[in-house]
Structure formats: structure tokens, C-alpha cells
Amino acid sequence: MIPYSLLDLAPVREGDTPAQAFANSLDLARHAEAQGYRRFWLAEHHNMPGIASAATSVLIGHIAGGTSTIRVGAGGVMLPNHSPLQVAEQFGTLASLYPDRIDLGLGRAPGTDQATTRALRRYYDAADAFPHDVGELLAYFGPVRPGQKVQAVPGAGMEVPVWLLGSSLFSARLAAAMGLPFAFASHFAPAMMEQALALYRHEFRPSGRLSAPYAMLALNVVGAGTDAEARRLFTTMQQTFVRLRRGEIGLVPPPVDDIDAYCTPQEKAGVDQALACSVVGDEATLRDGIAAFVERHRPDELMLTANIFDHDARLASFAMAARACAPLS
């Protein structure tokens, strides 16, 4: 069996507001819950008008409060932006409100540009302290020790699952050393996926939290009635990546009929490389593509994601993806 989960960024479309993005995310989470998705994760980004999930723990509470069984979590919280104590308190609060439903994924990047990192009052060189900060955070979730002067209230003694996220070998090696589950950002940075996965599994050391390696891989999945329509919907994501490389940040754009006319061949090649872990097509194409990805890489779980402009089309795509995953589960 292989579980399938969903990663959302609370996308803000052209013509929409963050409030509408939050309503759409909750609607999507409810649909995902009904369709057998195990988790609904939200990612922390800052100073990006097209992504409304900056206050990640607040939005997790909104989603968890509007659903009943699906696990809700961070994919992830960018730990260099926060003190470990604050994160422990926030997720201890969430886990108290929604027992056995909250996940905490931790990332080492700031999730933004350098100017915004400074505005967050934390500095990117804090990423060098990431292993220490992860250890400190885990300690806050442990039982209170005699003489412990600082404790997370709530948070101490709580079973909040902690994951490490990454797109390189650093977090794979750290997750293995600390005995934590590992999620690789193959949906936008697939270059080192196979190497990181092999390293994590080879170097994994059991811990009190996890007895054997558990790896999740992210996969872009866009489904529609025909392959051609799915490829058209996929151009929203392609445009977004082109804009990022041009230094243009903005709202989520509608699809275009011809992506090759939108960007240069060099830009298209770069986007194709970044989005190499994508399955785009009708239901049969999704089923075959997802099965081939799982057969090749053998993840323990899939994290599916897609930025599709039309909300109803996005709901339909994730429903199709769930049906495509069903034979695997």
C-alpha cells in the first residue's frame, strides 16, 4: 500500500484575494478528505503575492477546524525564520486542538528573498544552525526534565510527528542521522532526488520516533478529460516558474494555449527540468504515470501537488489523481 497526500500553497489567482484563496483551500481539503488523501500540507512562503500560506500554523488551524479526519500539517515551516520554542508552542497548540491530526515538516531554506528574510528579523545564516534548532525543537516536544527552565506550553510531552524536508543531500543525511521521516521536494527540484533517497535509506538510524526509513516524494499531477486539456491547465505552473526565473512575482496566471509562445526555448528548458517530476494527462495517463513513478523510485508515500487556475478544474484534477492512485493503495 502507498498512501497519497496533497500539498497546497493557498494559491491566489489573478482576480482573487487571499480570503478567496483560503476558502478554496478549505474546500479542496474537504474534497481531499473524502477522496482518501492521508495528509493536507501547507507550505510557508513570504513576499509572494500568489501564495497566501505565509502564516502557516494559523492556516493549518483553519483547515483542521473545517475537516474531521485528514491529517493537516506544514510542508513545511521554514525553521530559520522562527525560534524552535515558538514552533513547538504553535504546533503543541494545534495538536491539543486536533489530537493525532497535526504534522510538522521542517525546511532549512527561508522560503523567500534576502530582503524579506531580514524583515522577518531572522537571518539566513541561521540555516547553518538548522541541525541544532531541530534538536532543540524535538527536545521541547519531549517530557519535561527535572530542572528544565524553559518548556513549551503546550507542546511538552506531545506526540507531534516531525519530518525533515529538503531538495538536496543535506536534509536527507540529517533526517537519516536523527531517525526522522524525510520528504523530498521533487516537484520543483528533482535533480538530486535519487541520490538523496538512496543516501537517506542507506544511512538511516532508528530513533524513538521512527524505527525504519520513511520517505515521501512530491509529484506534480494535473488531470483533465483529455491529455491536451491537461497540458493546457499545466501551463499555469509553467508560466509561474518562468516568471520566477525572470524575477517577476505576481498572482497565479490563467492557462495559455501555447506555452512555447510565452517563453524562450532556454526558459522552457529550465522549466522542463524543474518540473520533470510531473504527470499530466487524462485519467489513464495519470494512472500509468503515477504507477511508473512509484515503481521506479519506491517512495513510502506520495505528496501530490498542482497549481491549476480554475478551482473546479483543480478539484476535478485531484479527484482524478486519487482514482489513479487507488489501484496502488
Side-chain angles (χ1 to χ4, degrees):
M1 294 179 65
I2 178 165
Y4 51 97
S5 296
L6 195 159
L7 174 65
D8 183 38
L9 304 180
V12 185
R13 307 174 298 178
E14 292 181 3
D16 271 356
T17 63
Q20 184 60 54
F22 298 146
N24 289 344
S25 288
L26 179 55
D27 189 41
L28 178 60
R30 288 170 172 164
H31 278 76
E33 183 173 74
Q35 292 152 7
Y37 285 85
R38 173 173 285 191
R39 311 174 202 276
F40 189 93
W41 279 8
L42 295 142
E44 176 186 348
H45 292 276
H46 300 279
N47 195 32
M48 299 189 72
I51 298 176
S53 52
T56 315
S57 61
V58 178
L59 190 52
I60 288 170
H62 173 64
I63 299 297
T67 53
S68 58
T69 58
I70 194 169
R71 298 191 65 87
V72 188
V77 163
M78 301 298 104
L79 192 54
N81 299 336
H82 311 274
S83 76
L85 176 60
Q86 288 175 314
V87 175
E89 291 169 340
Q90 290 167 3
F91 280 80
T93 299
L94 287 167
S96 298
L97 292 169
Y98 309 104
D100 198 32
R101 291 186 57 209
I102 301 300
D103 296 327
L104 172 55
L106 300 173
R108 188 170 68 105
T112 187
D113 56 84
Q114 291 186 358
T116 308
T117 302
R118 289 192 293 271
L120 288 165
R121 300 298 191 267
R122 299 274 287 180
Y123 295 90
Y124 187 67
D125 57 9
D128 296 334
F130 184 69
H132 174 272
D133 286 351
V134 173
E136 182 181 343
L137 176 54
L138 293 175
Y140 286 130
F141 284 136
V144 176
R145 302 177 301 277
Q148 181 176 336
K149 293 184 177 181
V150 179
Q151 57 182 282
V153 183
M158 302 196 69
E159 295 294 328
V160 179
V162 175
W163 295 65
L164 292 192
L165 317 181
S167 58
S168 68
L169 302 184
F170 182 95
S171 290
R173 180 169 280 116
L174 183 61
M178 302 186 82
L180 296 174
F182 176 58
F184 191 84
S186 36
H187 60 305
F188 71 86
M192 304 187 76
M193 174 181 63
E194 293 185 4
Q195 189 177 356
L197 195 58
L199 184 150
Y200 169 68
R201 287 170 169 163
H202 177 71
E203 297 189 3
F204 182 85
R205 291 186 293 189
S207 70
R209 285 179 167 266
L210 193 64
S211 60
Y214 192 94
M216 176 192 289
L217 296 180
L219 181 66
N220 299 299
V221 177
V222 177
T226 66
D227 285 354
E229 177 57 19
R231 287 193 295 268
R232 181 177 180 275
L233 296 178
F234 187 54
T235 63
T236 287
M237 296 178 62
Q238 292 172 310
Q239 291 177 79
T240 300
F241 273 72
V242 169
R243 290 181 178 185
L244 283 173
R245 282 156 173 74
R246 292 175 179 173
E248 302 170 358
I249 58 172
L251 304 181
V252 175
V256 295
D257 293 329
D258 184 4
I259 190 63
D260 292 314
Y262 178 82
C263 57
T264 68
Q266 293 79 11
E267 288 174 327
K268 179 67 160 45
V271 170
D272 288 345
Q273 184 178 34
L275 300 179
C277 290
S278 299
V279 180
V280 181
D282 65 12
E283 191 160 335
T285 300
L286 296 195
R287 186 178 298 110
D288 293 344
I290 293 171
F293 184 83
V294 170
E295 176 66 24
R296 177 174 179 179
H297 302 294
R298 297 291 180 179
D300 298 292
E301 187 169 337
L302 283 177
M303 178 61 74
L304 307 183
T305 189
N307 244 359
I308 296 173
F309 183 80
D310 181 80
H311 180 61
D312 289 337
R314 194 167 189 237
L315 294 179
S317 177
F318 278 114
M320 190 178 294
R323 293 193 298 270
C325 286
L328 303 174
S329 59

